[in-house]
Amino acid sequence: SMRAGLATLDVLERDALGERGARLGEDLRARLRARVAGHEMVAEVRGVGMFNTIEFKRPESLALKLLVQGVDGLHPGLFGQLCVRALFHDSRVLTQMAGHDHRCLKVLAPLVATEAETTRAVEALGQLSDTMHHEKTRFFGQGMKIGARLLSS
């Protein structure tokens, strides 16, 4: 196992994967910030290297506020799971929710990700935010269906 570890370190150094990850991660965050600009539920896009987070906030508009309250009333983590499910189901992008209030979406791209793959991730995340804001019943309706199934069982 020591040989495998040393070989991994050699590849990291030879291919400058740390520096490459820092550059690609900053580019991903810049493109994602531009893509979701103006979406009221996006509080912040942040990260270091290829470790990225989108933090969502509670909405101000009445329609979104009521939908979020309904989903949160079913389960505090349901909003986050709707995000994770939609990204994987619609775009095959694997993410994870984090944070005490389940409002941070972790996007952990591998150091060997290509620019095309990061572009696909940015578009998928942008589409998720678009759906959340402009096709409210499509996004939040999933949560209501899940909640109804839970309550009936």
Side-chain angles (χ1 to χ4, degrees), residues 113-132:
T114 64
E115 288 189 40
E117 290 167 332
T118 61
T119 296
R120 189 169 70 83
V122 166
E123 187 49 42
L125 293 159
Q127 185 59 46
L128 171 72
S129 189
D130 287 346
T131 302
M132 193 182 301

Side-chain angles (χ1 to χ4, degrees), residues 79-150:
F79 170 79
Q81 293 309 312
L82 290 175
C83 292
V84 170
R85 181 196 174 281
L87 283 165
F88 187 72
H89 183 267
D90 298 343
S91 305
R92 298 296 187 247
V93 172
L94 186 59
T95 58
Q96 182 181 18
M97 288 309 288
H100 295 295
D101 62 356
H102 308 284
R103 296 275 186 236
C104 295
L105 182 66
K106 293 192 298 187
V107 182
L108 309 173
L111 290 175
V112 295
T114 64
E115 288 189 40
E117 290 167 332
T118 61
T119 296
R120 189 169 70 83
V122 166
E123 187 49 42
L125 293 159
Q127 185 59 46
L128 171 72
S129 189
D130 287 346
T131 302
M132 193 182 301
H133 288 86
H134 305 299
E135 298 177 56
K136 298 168 189 64
T137 54
R138 179 174 166 228
F139 178 80
F140 289 100
Q142 298 172 57
M144 298 305 173
K145 288 177 188 174
I146 292 168
R149 281 195 303 252
L150 289 173

